[in-house]
PDB file of all heavy atoms in Angstrom:
ATOM      1  N   HIS A 234    -175.687-125.000 -21.101  1.00 97.00           N
ATOM      2  CA  HIS A 234    -176.843-124.206 -20.665  1.00 97.00           C
ATOM      3  C   HIS A 234    -177.566-123.593 -21.735  1.00 97.00           C
ATOM      4  O   HIS A 234    -177.048-123.517 -22.962  1.00 97.00           O
ATOM      5  CB  HIS A 234    -176.251-123.185 -19.710  1.00 97.00           C
ATOM      6  CG  HIS A 234    -177.294-122.396 -18.902  1.00 97.00           C
ATOM      7  ND1 HIS A 234    -178.206-123.015 -18.213  1.00 97.00           N
ATOM      8  CD2 HIS A 234    -177.498-121.069 -18.785  1.00 97.00           C
ATOM      9  CE1 HIS A 234    -178.944-122.103 -17.682  1.00 97.00           C
ATOM     10  NE2 HIS A 234    -178.545-120.873 -18.022  1.00 97.00           N
ATOM     11  N   LYS A 235    -178.711-123.064 -21.472  1.00 96.00           N
ATOM     12  CA  LYS A 235    -179.650-122.366 -22.566  1.00 96.00           C
ATOM     13  C   LYS A 235    -180.009-123.356 -23.613  1.00 96.00           C
ATOM     14  O   LYS A 235    -180.185-123.011 -24.705  1.00 96.00           O
ATOM     15  CB  LYS A 235    -178.912-121.237 -23.289  1.00 96.00           C
ATOM     16  CG  LYS A 235    -178.456-120.097 -22.116  1.00 96.00           C
ATOM     17  CD  LYS A 235    -178.285-118.810 -23.021  1.00 96.00           C
ATOM     18  CE  LYS A 235    -177.585-117.780 -22.199  1.00 96.00           C
ATOM     19  NZ  LYS A 235    -177.349-116.557 -22.989  1.00 96.00           N
ATOM     20  N   VAL A 236    -180.327-124.656 -23.193  1.00 96.00           N
ATOM     21  CA  VAL A 236    -180.745-125.686 -24.129  1.00 96.00           C
ATOM     22  C   VAL A 236    -182.177-125.518 -24.599  1.00 96.00           C
ATOM     23  O   VAL A 236    -182.625-126.134 -25.471  1.00 96.00           O
ATOM     24  CB  VAL A 236    -180.382-127.111 -23.733  1.00 96.00           C
ATOM     25  CG1 VAL A 236    -178.867-127.418 -23.715  1.00 96.00           C
ATOM     26  CG2 VAL A 236    -180.984-127.362 -22.389  1.00 96.00           C
ATOM     27  N   ASP A 237    -182.896-124.598 -23.876  1.00 95.00           N
ATOM     28  CA  ASP A 237    -184.350-124.323 -24.210  1.00 95.00           C
ATOM     29  C   ASP A 237    -184.489-123.943 -25.754  1.00 95.00           C
ATOM     30  O   ASP A 237    -185.493-124.250 -26.335  1.00 95.00           O
ATOM     31  CB  ASP A 237    -184.927-123.362 -23.316  1.00 95.00           C
ATOM     32  CG  ASP A 237    -184.084-122.136 -23.163  1.00 95.00           C
ATOM     33  OD1 ASP A 237    -183.154-122.190 -22.249  1.00 95.00           O
ATOM     34  OD2 ASP A 237    -184.327-121.159 -23.908  1.00 95.00           O
ATOM     35  N   GLY A 238    -183.413-123.277 -26.281  1.00 85.00           N
ATOM     36  CA  GLY A 238    -183.635-122.709 -27.645  1.00 85.00           C
ATOM     37  C   GLY A 238    -183.268-123.781 -28.613  1.00 85.00           C
ATOM     38  O   GLY A 238    -183.383-123.441 -29.896  1.00 85.00           O
ATOM     39  N   LEU A 239    -182.911-124.928 -28.293  1.00 93.00           N
ATOM     40  CA  LEU A 239    -182.403-126.033 -29.245  1.00 93.00           C
ATOM     41  C   LEU A 239    -183.403-127.098 -29.455  1.00 93.00           C
ATOM     42  O   LEU A 239    -184.109-127.481 -28.491  1.00 93.00           O
ATOM     43  CB  LEU A 239    -181.085-126.621 -28.830  1.00 93.00           C
ATOM     44  CG  LEU A 239    -180.031-125.713 -28.279  1.00 93.00           C
ATOM     45  CD1 LEU A 239    -178.779-126.452 -27.930  1.00 93.00           C
ATOM     46  CD2 LEU A 239    -179.701-124.681 -29.275  1.00 93.00           C
ATOM     47  N   SER A 240    -183.579-127.639 -30.766  1.00 94.00           N
ATOM     48  CA  SER A 240    -184.403-128.786 -30.905  1.00 94.00           C
ATOM     49  C   SER A 240    -183.831-130.045 -30.279  1.00 94.00           C
ATOM     50  O   SER A 240    -182.649-130.034 -30.018  1.00 94.00           O
ATOM     51  CB  SER A 240    -184.510-129.035 -32.464  1.00 94.00           C
ATOM     52  OG  SER A 240    -183.361-129.408 -32.977  1.00 94.00           O
ATOM     53  N   ASP A 241    -184.604-131.003 -30.002  1.00 92.00           N
ATOM     54  CA  ASP A 241    -184.089-132.225 -29.243  1.00 92.00           C
ATOM     55  C   ASP A 241    -182.891-132.821 -30.043  1.00 92.00           C
ATOM     56  O   ASP A 241    -181.883-133.159 -29.267  1.00 92.00           O
ATOM     57  CB  ASP A 241    -185.305-133.312 -29.315  1.00 92.00           C
ATOM     58  CG  ASP A 241    -186.269-132.926 -28.234  1.00 92.00           C
ATOM     59  OD1 ASP A 241    -186.046-131.963 -27.447  1.00 92.00           O
ATOM     60  OD2 ASP A 241    -187.323-133.647 -28.268  1.00 92.00           O
ATOM     61  N   GLU A 242    -182.980-132.853 -31.345  1.00 94.00           N
ATOM     62  CA  GLU A 242    -181.932-133.488 -32.046  1.00 94.00           C
ATOM     63  C   GLU A 242    -180.607-132.664 -32.044  1.00 94.00           C
ATOM     64  O   GLU A 242    -179.563-133.075 -31.682  1.00 94.00           O
ATOM     65  CB  GLU A 242    -182.262-133.502 -33.521  1.00 94.00           C
ATOM     66  CG  GLU A 242    -181.559-134.498 -34.426  1.00 94.00           C
ATOM     67  CD  GLU A 242    -181.868-134.484 -35.838  1.00 94.00           C
ATOM     68  OE1 GLU A 242    -183.105-134.132 -36.158  1.00 94.00           O
ATOM     69  OE2 GLU A 242    -181.081-134.671 -36.661  1.00 94.00           O
ATOM     70  N   TYR A 243    -180.762-131.334 -32.141  1.00 94.00           N
ATOM     71  CA  TYR A 243    -179.484-130.430 -31.999  1.00 94.00           C
ATOM     72  C   TYR A 243    -179.062-130.412 -30.634  1.00 94.00           C
ATOM     73  O   TYR A 243    -177.801-130.252 -30.432  1.00 94.00           O
ATOM     74  CB  TYR A 243    -180.088-129.009 -32.411  1.00 94.00           C
ATOM     75  CG  TYR A 243    -178.916-128.086 -32.728  1.00 94.00           C
ATOM     76  CD1 TYR A 243    -177.919-128.376 -33.585  1.00 94.00           C
ATOM     77  CD2 TYR A 243    -178.807-126.757 -32.039  1.00 94.00           C
ATOM     78  CE1 TYR A 243    -176.881-127.580 -33.915  1.00 94.00           C
ATOM     79  CE2 TYR A 243    -177.718-125.989 -32.317  1.00 94.00           C
ATOM     80  CZ  TYR A 243    -176.725-126.379 -33.105  1.00 94.00           C
ATOM     81  OH  TYR A 243    -175.635-125.621 -33.458  1.00 94.00           O
ATOM     82  N   ARG A 244    -179.860-130.575 -29.682  1.00 94.00           N
ATOM     83  CA  ARG A 244    -179.450-130.525 -28.238  1.00 94.00           C
ATOM     84  C   ARG A 244    -178.555-131.811 -28.059  1.00 94.00           C
ATOM     85  O   ARG A 244    -177.469-131.642 -27.464  1.00 94.00           O
ATOM     86  CB  ARG A 244    -180.752-130.754 -27.410  1.00 94.00           C
ATOM     87  CG  ARG A 244    -180.574-130.525 -26.014  1.00 94.00           C
ATOM     88  CD  ARG A 244    -181.964-130.707 -25.262  1.00 94.00           C
ATOM     89  NE  ARG A 244    -182.835-129.613 -25.561  1.00 94.00           N
ATOM     90  CZ  ARG A 244    -183.976-129.360 -24.882  1.00 94.00           C
ATOM     91  NH1 ARG A 244    -184.224-130.062 -23.908  1.00 94.00           N
ATOM     92  NH2 ARG A 244    -184.717-128.281 -25.144  1.00 94.00           N
ATOM     93  N   THR A 245    -179.005-132.978 -28.474  1.00 95.00           N
ATOM     94  CA  THR A 245    -178.141-134.182 -28.383  1.00 95.00           C
ATOM     95  C   THR A 245    -176.890-133.974 -29.062  1.00 95.00           C
ATOM     96  O   THR A 245    -175.795-134.350 -28.591  1.00 95.00           O
ATOM     97  CB  THR A 245    -178.872-135.338 -28.938  1.00 95.00           C
ATOM     98  OG1 THR A 245    -180.302-135.317 -28.469  1.00 95.00           O
ATOM     99  CG2 THR A 245    -178.310-136.702 -28.533  1.00 95.00           C
ATOM    100  N   ASP A 246    -176.871-133.454 -30.296  1.00 96.00           N
ATOM    101  CA  ASP A 246    -175.720-133.289 -31.082  1.00 96.00           C
ATOM    102  C   ASP A 246    -174.725-132.378 -30.352  1.00 96.00           C
ATOM    103  O   ASP A 246    -173.536-132.545 -30.265  1.00 96.00           O
ATOM    104  CB  ASP A 246    -175.986-132.663 -32.472  1.00 96.00           C
ATOM    105  CG  ASP A 246    -176.589-133.696 -33.352  1.00 96.00           C
ATOM    106  OD1 ASP A 246    -176.599-134.882 -32.963  1.00 96.00           O
ATOM    107  OD2 ASP A 246    -177.121-133.250 -34.427  1.00 96.00           O
ATOM    108  N   THR A 247    -175.282-131.281 -29.836  1.00 96.00           N
ATOM    109  CA  THR A 247    -174.444-130.208 -29.092  1.00 96.00           C
ATOM    110  C   THR A 247    -173.827-130.907 -27.889  1.00 96.00           C
ATOM    111  O   THR A 247    -172.562-130.726 -27.606  1.00 96.00           O
ATOM    112  CB  THR A 247    -175.293-129.007 -28.660  1.00 96.00           C
ATOM    113  OG1 THR A 247    -175.943-128.621 -29.777  1.00 96.00           O
ATOM    114  CG2 THR A 247    -174.436-127.921 -28.057  1.00 96.00           C
ATOM    115  N   PHE A 248    -174.613-131.672 -27.114  1.00 96.00           N
ATOM    116  CA  PHE A 248    -174.049-132.405 -26.082  1.00 96.00           C
ATOM    117  C   PHE A 248    -172.864-133.190 -26.338  1.00 96.00           C
ATOM    118  O   PHE A 248    -171.862-133.072 -25.746  1.00 96.00           O
ATOM    119  CB  PHE A 248    -175.206-133.211 -25.339  1.00 96.00           C
ATOM    120  CG  PHE A 248    -174.829-133.855 -24.075  1.00 96.00           C
ATOM    121  CD1 PHE A 248    -174.908-133.216 -22.863  1.00 96.00           C
ATOM    122  CD2 PHE A 248    -174.398-135.231 -24.094  1.00 96.00           C
ATOM    123  CE1 PHE A 248    -174.560-133.833 -21.698  1.00 96.00           C
ATOM    124  CE2 PHE A 248    -174.079-135.839 -22.868  1.00 96.00           C
ATOM    125  CZ  PHE A 248    -174.143-135.161 -21.722  1.00 96.00           C
ATOM    126  N   GLN A 249    -173.093-134.057 -27.386  1.00 96.00           N
ATOM    127  CA  GLN A 249    -172.123-135.027 -27.758  1.00 96.00           C
ATOM    128  C   GLN A 249    -170.851-134.259 -28.208  1.00 96.00           C
ATOM    129  O   GLN A 249    -169.629-134.706 -27.978  1.00 96.00           O
ATOM    130  CB  GLN A 249    -172.599-135.966 -28.837  1.00 96.00           C
ATOM    131  CG  GLN A 249    -173.388-137.112 -28.165  1.00 96.00           C
ATOM    132  CD  GLN A 249    -174.235-137.838 -29.223  1.00 96.00           C
ATOM    133  OE1 GLN A 249    -174.280-137.502 -30.403  1.00 96.00           O
ATOM    134  NE2 GLN A 249    -174.961-138.912 -28.707  1.00 96.00           N
ATOM    135  N   ASP A 250    -171.113-133.208 -28.999  1.00 96.00           N
ATOM    136  CA  ASP A 250    -170.034-132.477 -29.593  1.00 96.00           C
ATOM    137  C   ASP A 250    -169.048-131.842 -28.394  1.00 96.00           C
ATOM    138  O   ASP A 250    -167.809-132.001 -28.454  1.00 96.00           O
ATOM    139  CB  ASP A 250    -170.500-131.358 -30.478  1.00 96.00           C
ATOM    140  CG  ASP A 250    -169.356-130.603 -31.262  1.00 96.00           C
ATOM    141  OD1 ASP A 250    -168.626-131.499 -31.855  1.00 96.00           O
ATOM    142  OD2 ASP A 250    -169.473-129.444 -31.345  1.00 96.00           O
ATOM    143  N   ILE A 251    -169.792-131.275 -27.452  1.00 96.00           N
ATOM    144  CA  ILE A 251    -169.004-130.681 -26.343  1.00 96.00           C
ATOM    145  C   ILE A 251    -168.281-131.673 -25.465  1.00 96.00           C
ATOM    146  O   ILE A 251    -166.989-131.554 -25.240  1.00 96.00           O
ATOM    147  CB  ILE A 251    -169.964-129.838 -25.419  1.00 96.00           C
ATOM    148  CG1 ILE A 251    -170.483-128.604 -26.144  1.00 96.00           C
ATOM    149  CG2 ILE A 251    -169.350-129.411 -24.044  1.00 96.00           C
ATOM    150  CD1 ILE A 251    -171.470-127.759 -25.461  1.00 96.00           C
ATOM    151  N   VAL A 252    -168.946-132.763 -25.154  1.00 95.00           N
ATOM    152  CA  VAL A 252    -168.161-133.814 -24.471  1.00 95.00           C
ATOM    153  C   VAL A 252    -167.106-134.360 -25.192  1.00 95.00           C
ATOM    154  O   VAL A 252    -165.859-134.517 -24.705  1.00 95.00           O
ATOM    155  CB  VAL A 252    -169.222-135.020 -24.158  1.00 95.00           C
ATOM    156  CG1 VAL A 252    -168.568-136.231 -23.462  1.00 95.00           C
ATOM    157  CG2 VAL A 252    -170.450-134.533 -23.269  1.00 95.00           C
ATOM    158  N   GLN A 253    -167.183-134.552 -26.557  1.00 94.00           N
ATOM    159  CA  GLN A 253    -166.164-135.087 -27.322  1.00 94.00           C
ATOM    160  C   GLN A 253    -164.846-134.159 -27.341  1.00 94.00           C
ATOM    161  O   GLN A 253    -163.816-134.447 -27.158  1.00 94.00           O
ATOM    162  CB  GLN A 253    -166.650-135.325 -28.728  1.00 94.00           C
ATOM    163  CG  GLN A 253    -165.726-136.181 -29.612  1.00 94.00           C
ATOM    164  CD  GLN A 253    -165.609-137.506 -29.114  1.00 94.00           C
ATOM    165  OE1 GLN A 253    -166.541-138.234 -28.733  1.00 94.00           O
ATOM    166  NE2 GLN A 253    -164.350-137.996 -28.955  1.00 94.00           N
ATOM    167  N   HIS A 254    -165.271-132.816 -27.602  1.00 94.00           N
ATOM    168  CA  HIS A 254    -164.173-131.796 -27.687  1.00 94.00           C
ATOM    169  C   HIS A 254    -163.369-131.773 -26.347  1.00 94.00           C
ATOM    170  O   HIS A 254    -162.147-131.826 -26.324  1.00 94.00           O
ATOM    171  CB  HIS A 254    -164.817-130.443 -27.731  1.00 94.00           C
ATOM    172  CG  HIS A 254    -164.774-129.832 -29.199  1.00 94.00           C
ATOM    173  ND1 HIS A 254    -165.741-130.086 -30.027  1.00 94.00           N
ATOM    174  CD2 HIS A 254    -163.822-129.167 -29.712  1.00 94.00           C
ATOM    175  CE1 HIS A 254    -165.370-129.512 -31.212  1.00 94.00           C
ATOM    176  NE2 HIS A 254    -164.244-128.976 -31.023  1.00 94.00           N
ATOM    177  N   ILE A 255    -164.061-131.831 -25.199  1.00 94.00           N
ATOM    178  CA  ILE A 255    -163.330-131.813 -23.961  1.00 94.00           C
ATOM    179  C   ILE A 255    -162.511-133.074 -23.681  1.00 94.00           C
ATOM    180  O   ILE A 255    -161.391-132.878 -23.285  1.00 94.00           O
ATOM    181  CB  ILE A 255    -164.373-131.453 -22.715  1.00 94.00           C
ATOM    182  CG1 ILE A 255    -165.002-130.079 -23.020  1.00 94.00           C
ATOM    183  CG2 ILE A 255    -163.690-131.549 -21.422  1.00 94.00           C
ATOM    184  CD1 ILE A 255    -166.057-129.837 -22.050  1.00 94.00           C
ATOM    185  N   SER A 256    -163.052-134.159 -23.985  1.00 92.00           N
ATOM    186  CA  SER A 256    -162.389-135.366 -23.694  1.00 92.00           C
ATOM    187  C   SER A 256    -161.257-135.458 -24.663  1.00 92.00           C
ATOM    188  O   SER A 256    -160.054-135.929 -24.239  1.00 92.00           O
ATOM    189  CB  SER A 256    -163.191-136.677 -23.607  1.00 92.00           C
ATOM    190  OG  SER A 256    -164.373-136.527 -24.362  1.00 92.00           O
ATOM    191  N   ASP A 257    -161.325-135.076 -25.939  1.00 93.00           N
ATOM    192  CA  ASP A 257    -160.134-135.005 -26.824  1.00 93.00           C
ATOM    193  C   ASP A 257    -159.107-134.179 -26.336  1.00 93.00           C
ATOM    194  O   ASP A 257    -157.915-134.477 -26.380  1.00 93.00           O
ATOM    195  CB  ASP A 257    -160.653-134.533 -28.227  1.00 93.00           C
ATOM    196  CG  ASP A 257    -161.414-135.674 -28.930  1.00 93.00           C
ATOM    197  OD1 ASP A 257    -161.536-136.805 -28.410  1.00 93.00           O
ATOM    198  OD2 ASP A 257    -162.077-135.318 -30.026  1.00 93.00           O
ATOM    199  N   GLU A 258    -159.449-132.914 -25.916  1.00 93.00           N
ATOM    200  CA  GLU A 258    -158.438-131.972 -25.461  1.00 93.00           C
ATOM    201  C   GLU A 258    -157.792-132.521 -24.304  1.00 93.00           C
ATOM    202  O   GLU A 258    -156.490-132.399 -24.039  1.00 93.00           O
ATOM    203  CB  GLU A 258    -159.018-130.625 -25.140  1.00 93.00           C
ATOM    204  CG  GLU A 258    -159.376-129.866 -26.503  1.00 93.00           C
ATOM    205  CD  GLU A 258    -159.524-128.371 -26.317  1.00 93.00           C
ATOM    206  OE1 GLU A 258    -158.912-127.803 -25.365  1.00 93.00           O
ATOM    207  OE2 GLU A 258    -160.154-127.784 -27.252  1.00 93.00           O
ATOM    208  N   LEU A 259    -158.456-133.142 -23.270  1.00 93.00           N
ATOM    209  CA  LEU A 259    -157.869-133.656 -22.046  1.00 93.00           C
ATOM    210  C   LEU A 259    -156.885-134.896 -22.404  1.00 93.00           C
ATOM    211  O   LEU A 259    -155.798-135.017 -21.970  1.00 93.00           O
ATOM    212  CB  LEU A 259    -158.879-133.945 -21.117  1.00 93.00           C
ATOM    213  CG  LEU A 259    -159.636-132.791 -20.515  1.00 93.00           C
ATOM    214  CD1 LEU A 259    -160.771-133.258 -19.491  1.00 93.00           C
ATOM    215  CD2 LEU A 259    -158.630-131.847 -19.786  1.00 93.00           C
ATOM    216  N   SER A 260    -157.430-135.635 -23.352  1.00 93.00           N
ATOM    217  CA  SER A 260    -156.627-136.968 -23.595  1.00 93.00           C
ATOM    218  C   SER A 260    -155.402-136.531 -24.419  1.00 93.00           C
ATOM    219  O   SER A 260    -154.400-137.119 -24.316  1.00 93.00           O
ATOM    220  CB  SER A 260    -157.412-138.052 -24.204  1.00 93.00           C
ATOM    221  OG  SER A 260    -157.946-137.667 -25.419  1.00 93.00           O
ATOM    222  N   ASP A 261    -155.489-135.485 -25.213  1.00 93.00           N
ATOM    223  CA  ASP A 261    -154.248-135.022 -26.022  1.00 93.00           C
ATOM    224  C   ASP A 261    -153.220-134.509 -25.014  1.00 93.00           C
ATOM    225  O   ASP A 261    -152.061-134.642 -25.225  1.00 93.00           O
ATOM    226  CB  ASP A 261    -154.622-133.815 -26.846  1.00 93.00           C
ATOM    227  CG  ASP A 261    -155.409-134.327 -28.190  1.00 93.00           C
ATOM    228  OD1 ASP A 261    -155.393-135.601 -28.263  1.00 93.00           O
ATOM    229  OD2 ASP A 261    -155.875-133.510 -28.922  1.00 93.00           O
ATOM    230  N   ALA A 262    -153.717-134.019 -23.852  1.00 91.00           N
ATOM    231  CA  ALA A 262    -152.814-133.455 -22.810  1.00 91.00           C
ATOM    232  C   ALA A 262    -152.502-134.703 -21.933  1.00 91.00           C
ATOM    233  O   ALA A 262    -151.676-134.491 -20.799  1.00 91.00           O
ATOM    234  CB  ALA A 262    -153.327-132.360 -22.072  1.00 91.00           C
TER     235      ALA A 262
END
Side-chain angles (χ1 to χ4, degrees):
H234 192 53
K235 299 196 191 178
V236 290
D237 48 276
L239 313 182
S240 67
D241 282 352
E242 199 183 332
Y243 194 57
R244 195 178 287 198
T245 316
D246 288 352
T247 306
F248 183 87
Q249 282 167 351
D250 191 44
I251 290 177
V252 174
Q253 193 63 51
H254 258 91
I255 295 172
S256 26
D257 284 353
E258 287 200 22
L259 292 178
S260 64
D261 286 352

